[in-house]
Amino acid sequence: MINLEVKHKKIVHTDEYYYSVIRENMKRMRKAKNLTQQDLADLTDISREYICDIENESRNKHITIADLSRVADALEVDISELFNDKTKKDMKKIS
């Protein structure tokens, strides 16, 4: 008799993975609203340099939940949308 039981493997993403998802979504959403980094900085009371650091993958900048919430509010999206990795997966399928 063959055992057909399928074991589900739990996928655990690293911090770096989620930072890249947040970075990509934040930049895409900001550009979709025709906002510059300075515009977003002004709306969130976060410095433009910090916004730049978050969006720039080579800088590996961490962001607090409080700041992420302010960014989401400024972009008029639910904070969970910044964590949505659908775009990242779709981009891999195209590549």
Side-chain angles (χ1 to χ4, degrees):
M1 187 162 147
I2 299 173
N3 183 358
L4 296 176
E5 181 180 340
V6 176
K7 294 184 180 182
H8 295 281
K9 187 175 182 179
K10 184 176 181 180
I11 297 173
V12 179
H13 294 296
T14 63
D15 290 350
E16 290 79 18
Y17 175 82
Y18 281 109
Y19 287 127
S20 72
V21 170
I22 291 166
R23 176 177 42 255
E24 290 171 12
N25 285 332
M26 187 172 136
K27 190 173 189 176
R28 178 180 49 78
M29 291 173 184
R30 176 180 60 77
K31 287 184 173 189
K33 292 196 171 283
N34 294 316
L35 296 173
T36 64
Q37 289 178 340
Q38 186 62 57
D39 293 334
L40 185 57
D42 293 342
L43 290 169
T44 58
D45 199 29
I46 297 171
S47 74
R48 188 205 56 80
E49 292 80 10
Y50 187 60
I51 298 291
C52 181
D53 285 347
I54 294 165
E55 288 187 358
N56 187 334
E57 70 180 299
S58 66
R59 296 193 182 159
N60 217 7
K61 187 71 170 185
H62 298 339
I63 184 169
T64 67
I65 295 298
D67 287 344
L68 199 57
S69 178
R70 291 174 17 204
V71 168
D73 288 346
L75 295 173
E76 299 176 327
V77 297
D78 187 277
I79 194 170
S80 65
E81 290 298 311
L82 294 170
F83 290 90
N84 184 349
D85 65 348
K86 180 182 182 320
T87 302
K88 190 170 185 74
K89 288 177 184 172
D90 288 346
M91 289 172 68
K92 284 185 179 178
K93 287 179 187 175
I94 295 170
S95 305

